[in-house]
Amino acid sequence: AQSVTQLDSQVPVFEEAPVELRCNYSSSVSVYLFWYVQYPNQGLQLLLKYLSGSTLVESINGFEAEFNKSQTSFHLRKPSVHISDTAEYFCAVKSGGYQKVTFGTGTKLQVIP
Amino acid sequence: DAGVIQSPRHEVTEMGQEVTLRCKPISGHDYLFWYRQTMMRGLELLIYFNNNVPIDDSGMPEDRFSAKMPNASFSTLKIQPSEPRDSAVYFCASSLMDLNTGELFFGEGSRLTVL
């Protein structure tokens, strides 16, 4: 079975400050890892993904996440947040060869002006 | 290309009524997923289809829920009879699994309120 834990339900941060959203997963086989973002009253959109290769993956809007197999983590980071980053962020895991994607409970990022 | 299209966007109904939610996946996608989102339980997978065939319905909460996919471009999620605890946002997502990457494309959701 696969599962995802996002310990922080809400993270307030001042504009232009750095942020880290934590994600830990469990799976007995190789995994694919994802971060999705949900803006108010919208569906989820893919932010970035780790499939294989380099453990550091980046998005087009400055977010990055690092796959750490020994710590079973996939934390999301941004060195300087913007007001427009205010949204809910979901970490997700998919085990290789298995089509079900399991989501964490989400972290609400609130950027304070 | 149009994204995943869901209807209705909002539905308010009374307990005991039948509710039907509809989804049109992205053309060419071979997987379709139904998720439910609530404050208490987060995002839960209800059921998913591959090439119109239900693969895993273990997340369907009870027999009041049913889902169908009569063809590659249409799926429904039905609740009969509805109850107040069914109030949630229901998302449909589709995917093309040829590379086994698992990226999902979500619709904007159907917000259901059962009074």
Side-chain angles (χ1 to χ4, degrees), chain B residues 19-108:
Chain B
V19 173
T20 299
L21 308 178
R22 298 172 177 80
C23 175
K24 176 178 169 56
I26 292 173
S27 177
H29 281 191
D30 53 357
Y31 279 83
L32 185 141
F33 303 78
W34 281 100
Y35 282 88
R36 177 173 68 176
Q37 185 178 36
T38 60
M39 290 288 290
M40 293 297 295
R41 302 172 69 92
L43 202 61
E44 304 172 277
L45 177 64
L46 300 178
I47 185 172
Y48 74 92
F49 297 82
N50 176 219
N51 292 323
N52 314 337
V53 176
I55 303 300
D56 184 347
D57 66 353
S58 59
M60 296 286 261
E62 48 197 275
D63 292 345
R64 298 184 297 106
F65 286 69
S66 63
K68 294 182 179 179
M69 192 166 185
N71 57 62
S73 59
F74 184 66
S75 177
T76 60
L77 178 67
K78 186 175 294 186
I79 309 172
Q80 167 63 21
S82 59
E83 297 183 2
R85 60 192 167 122
D86 302 330
S87 297
V89 181
Y90 291 82
F91 287 102
C92 176
S94 70
S95 184
L96 181 62
M97 291 291 188
D98 59 344
L99 297 178
N100 205 30
T101 62
E103 178 179 350
L104 300 178
F105 295 80
F106 282 80
E108 294 191 319

Side-chain angles (χ1 to χ4, degrees), chain A residues 60-75:
Chain A
I60 58 174
N61 58 350
F63 283 93
E64 64 179 30
E66 185 162 18
F67 170 56
N68 188 318
K69 187 175 182 179
S70 62
Q71 298 187 4
T72 60
S73 68
F74 191 57
H75 302 328

Side-chain angles (χ1 to χ4, degrees), chain A residues 32 34 36 38 41-44 46 49 51 88 90 94 96-101 103 108, chain B residues 9 31 33 35 37 39 43 45 48 56 58 91 97 100-104 106-108 111:
Chain A
Y32 301 137
F34 309 84
Y36 283 81
Q38 183 181 31
N41 299 314
Q42 294 185 25
L44 282 70
L46 182 69
K49 60 187 176 185
L51 303 179
E88 189 160 16
F90 292 86
K94 174 184 175 297
Y98 184 52
Q99 305 306 335
K100 184 184 292 189
V101 177
F103 287 83
K108 291 183 178 177
Chain B
R9 290 294 312 278
Y31 279 83
F33 303 78
Y35 282 88
Q37 185 178 36
M39 290 288 290
L43 202 61
L45 177 64
Y48 74 92
D56 184 347
S58 59
F91 287 102
M97 291 291 188
N100 205 30
T101 62
E103 178 179 350
L104 300 178
F106 282 80
E108 294 191 319
R111 182 176 296 275

Side-chain angles (χ1 to χ4, degrees), chain A residues 4-24:
Chain A
V4 178
T5 301
Q6 293 181 251
L7 290 175
D8 304 309
S9 60
Q10 295 189 52
V11 174
V13 62
F14 285 104
E15 192 174 14
E16 298 184 2
V19 70
E20 178 180 84
L21 307 183
R22 296 180 294 168
C23 171
N24 289 89

